[in-house]
Amino acid sequence: MNDPAPPSRLDMLRFLERVQRGNLERTRGWIAAEERREAERLQGERARPPAPDWIIERGIGQGGPPIEVHRGDCHAAGKRRRAVTEGEARQALADGIRACTHCRPRDELGTPE
């Protein structure tokens, strides 16, 4: 019987403004967080050392023997590897270390099969 009067149009608009202000602040927070993540990603890319030109993949175990020569950007190189100079890569191939069949380092180094 004594129901309160419905909110006026102005009251509803002020309520909507408060809700939208909260949404805007939350969205700005998301934008700031994304900007921080992007800045960190870019900083990580700039700080990353350049990929080596040549890699020698090593066998299993401590001080495992060299097993394969790869170009520095080869996707088939395993996790046990070390960067080497072009001369070291040539010498490894001359010493009989296998050349990767994916990146074909012999082609770029110009060494015979």
Side-chain angles (χ1 to χ4, degrees), residues 16-93:
L16 177 61
E17 180 184 33
R18 283 193 308 273
V19 170
Q20 289 179 334
R21 191 177 302 126
N23 288 340
L24 181 59
E25 289 171 9
R26 184 172 41 251
T27 301
R28 286 180 176 157
W30 292 337
I31 290 170
E34 189 60 32
E35 287 171 342
R36 282 190 301 273
R37 281 191 293 273
E38 181 67 13
E40 290 170 1
R41 185 188 66 76
L42 291 174
Q43 180 184 4
E45 284 181 6
R46 286 190 299 269
R48 183 177 298 132
D53 291 332
W54 304 101
I55 296 171
I56 292 185
E57 185 175 353
R58 306 197 61 88
I60 296 175
Q62 182 70 16
I67 58 171
E68 202 165 47
V69 177
H70 298 271
R71 285 186 4 200
D73 61 351
C74 181
H75 67 278
K79 293 185 186 291
R80 296 176 310 275
R81 57 184 168 181
R82 70 177 179 90
V84 295
T85 64
E86 182 176 329
E88 290 172 312
R90 284 179 190 278
Q91 186 60 48
L93 291 171

